[in-house]
Every structure is written in structure tokens, then in C-alpha cells.
Amino acid sequence: MSKRTLAQLDGTQLDGQRVVVRVDLNVPMSGGTVTDDTRIRASLPTIQLLHDRGARVVLLSHLGRPAGVPDPRYSLRPLVRVLEKLLGFPVAFLADPTSSDAVSEVRHLPRGGVALGENTRFYPGEEKNDPALADRFAALGDMYVNDAFGSAHRAHASTEAIAHRLKPAVAGLLMEKELRFLGEAVDHPARPFVAILGGAKISGKIDLVESLLPKVDRILIGGAMACTFFKAMGLETGTSLVEPDRVDMAKSLLQQAGDKLVLPSGAVIAQRLDGSAPTREVSRDQVPSGWGVYDIDDASLQLFADCIAAAKTVIWNGPMGVFETPPFDRGTLGVARALAAATRAGAVTIVGGGDSAAAIAAAGLEDQVTHVSTGGGASLEFLEGKPLPGVAALDDA
Ligand code: ADP
Ligand code: MG
């Protein structure tokens, strides 16, 4: 069902209004410095629109995993300066967004003013979707915008309960874009529709394989996921990352999928996971014991690239190998390049998953695909066809 969006509200509905915006500012930090500001930049269009329309903007976000209590390591305070720099105007900080002081600070914001609240996970009620905490957050605003796609798969006080308390409750620009790209890809894909899945664990992606199988024309599998399938085929997998308790599952998926499911024909192997260890390329039935699979081989990359080149819609989730450790990044970078080429040829290409997004950024190709989702777990659950509580709670269009 489609949801009401910020873009559908006219200016008079925003001017002077106090708008609570759930953003996803859960960025990687090191020693008080933001090391990747992608998620912050992705939140800017909604903040800028509200600023331009004269709203009084209250930003709420979580950061990291504090244990429901204030923890300076996870304070959002350092993000004030980052936001100010990107937005070009001052941003206030609400040290306790549940306090009556915060309510009065927000009331005193100028039209177009922006305040950032401290980490929502400093309160034990956040992850419990606690009504009393949601009441507190709701007291800061007259209406609600959810732009935190990356947190939409969790029913938390600032993503779910609050949406029942502030009306209108609408999707922000980023949220709308994510739902449109991911939704259209799975519901109305131009064909051929190809999914490429990889990453470490098959266990986290079995639901994804099952839900995509009836929809796609082909599923290409790489990463350690492929090793569990190799095992299911009775092949030697050496020291590769295999999930023994998922081998039966993999067997039944292989039967169910027929030739829709494409596995690598060979692998890059080494005796240990170390960039300086000698490597070999072998076909998948030639993995010696004592060696592990750390990437797809060139022949498999070529096979995958050909499938991608022929596709009109491509979804990619999960790296093809241990891309953090070159030379085991070659398959992943090759797939990234194949996606960019397919995009130039007119295909819709979508990247979901935190590590896949990092990989396409490492390849410098994030602007050469149709859409890179900002939500790792959320994009996975959306593609699995699961309802996202943070979206479901918003007003219907
Ligand atoms: P995403 O975040 O894109 O959904 P995942 O989190 O599922 O991806 O998986 C990413 C991880 O998978 C990376 O850390 C990568 O090193 C690992 N991985 C990929 N291939 C292999 C392999 N053959 N052996 C071990 N780990 C692998
Ligand atoms: Mg990951």
C-alpha cells in the first residue's frame, strides 16, 4: 500500500509547524569523527525542504548500540557541527529530547530552525516501542516525518509508536525514494530480472532467496553463501566458511530453483585468509582440503557479468568474496563494474546491503548505478516481502 509523503504536503501545512523527523544518522564514527557521512548526506534533502518551508525541525536518530542509558561514546552531539557544515546554518542540540526544556527550546526555534535530539537509544523505552517514551518524543512536534529507511524494519518508539501520535505522519524524501526504487524493482521489474546474492552467511539470506525465486529470472550466488551450496552438492569445501546446519536447506533450494539458480563454476582459493598468501583459481570441484574459497574466479565473474549485461533489472545484495582483503575483492569489484555497465545500457540496478554499498563505494561506482539503498537490514527485509513497521505506521496515501 502506498504511503502519504512529505512531497504531497503543501507549504501551508509546514510553515511554522514543529516537525519531528526520524532520520538515520547511525554513521560510523572513530574518536568523535564521522568516518562516512553517506547517511547524513542522504538525510539532507528532507531537512532542507522543511527548512525552506519554514518548519521548526526536530531531528531524532539512534547511533550505535548503547544499552538504553546515556553513553558518551554514542552521543549525537558531534554531529551538530557536521550537519551545520553541510546545511550552512546553525543546528541546536537537545541534550535530553524527553525533557520539558527540549519542548520549550523547540517552541523557541525560529521558522526554518533545526534542532538535533540526543540518541534515542539512551532511553530504555526506545527499542521496546514504549508508548510513554513515544508520548515524550511526540510532545516535541505537531507532525511526524519518517525518513529513516535504515531503521524502518524495527518497531521502536521513534519509528513506530510516535507515528500513531503525531498526524500527519508521512514518509520523507529519502524514505519515499527507497520505497519507490526497491518496490518497483520487485513488483514491476523490467525483464530479464536478475538478483546477485553473496556475503558471509546463507542463514541470513534464505528468506531472500525464497522470496526472490518466484519473481526473478535468475539468481546468481557468490560469497561464502555459495560454499554451503557446494557442500549440498557433495563437493569438497576445504576450510571455507560453510554453515553445516543449512546444508539440507541449500539442497532443497537447489531442487526448487532448477536452473534459475546459478552458482560460481570456480573459486579463488588460499590456505589462509591473508592478502599475501599464495592463491589459486580452481573449478568448484577441485578445492583441496586445507584450502578455503575466498572469491569467485574469473570464469564465474565472466558468467555473472554476461547475465548482468543481458538484464533489464538487477538487484545486488552481498559481496562475491572477502572484498575487505585484496586480492579477494576482484569478483566483487567486477560485479560492481558489470552493474555500472548495465546501468549505462539502460538497466535499473539496485544495491542493497551495508557491505555491498561499501563495496560499490570502494569501487567509486556508487553514482553509476540506479540506486544504492541506505538501509542494510531494512532493504533485506523489504526485498523479502516483510512489512516494515516504521512504514506501516505512516498515513496511507
Ligand atoms: P551485505 O552487508 O552487503 O548484506 P553481508 O553482511 O551478508 O553483506 O556479507 C558481507 C561479508 O561477507 C563481508 O564481510 C565478506 O568478507 C564476507 N564474505 C564474502 N565472501 C566470503 C567468503 N568466501 N568467505 C568468507 N567471508 C566472505
Ligand atoms: Mg553486512
Side-chain angles (χ1 to χ4, degrees), residues 198-200 205 223-224 241 293-294 317-324 352-356:
K205 295 193 180 169
L241 180 57
V293 168
Y294 297 117
N317 180 298
M320 297 293 102
V322 187
F323 74 103
E324 303 94 331
D355 291 290
S356 317

Side-chain angles (χ1 to χ4, degrees), residues 183-244:
E184 273 171 19
V186 270
D187 295 336
H188 313 284
R191 292 184 183 276
F193 176 18
V194 172
I196 317 155
L197 307 181
K201 292 196 166 174
I202 186 175
S203 49
K205 295 193 180 169
I206 281 175
D207 289 351
L208 184 62
V209 177
E210 285 193 323
S211 86
L212 287 177
L213 261 182
K215 296 178 179 159
V216 299
D217 297 296
R218 280 249 168 349
I219 295 194
L220 318 176
I221 306 252
M225 264 180 95
C227 300
T228 300
F229 283 104
F230 293 163
K231 190 93 188 171
M233 294 159 69
L235 302 176
E236 169 69 59
T237 49
T239 58
S240 308
L241 180 57
V242 168
E243 290 174 275

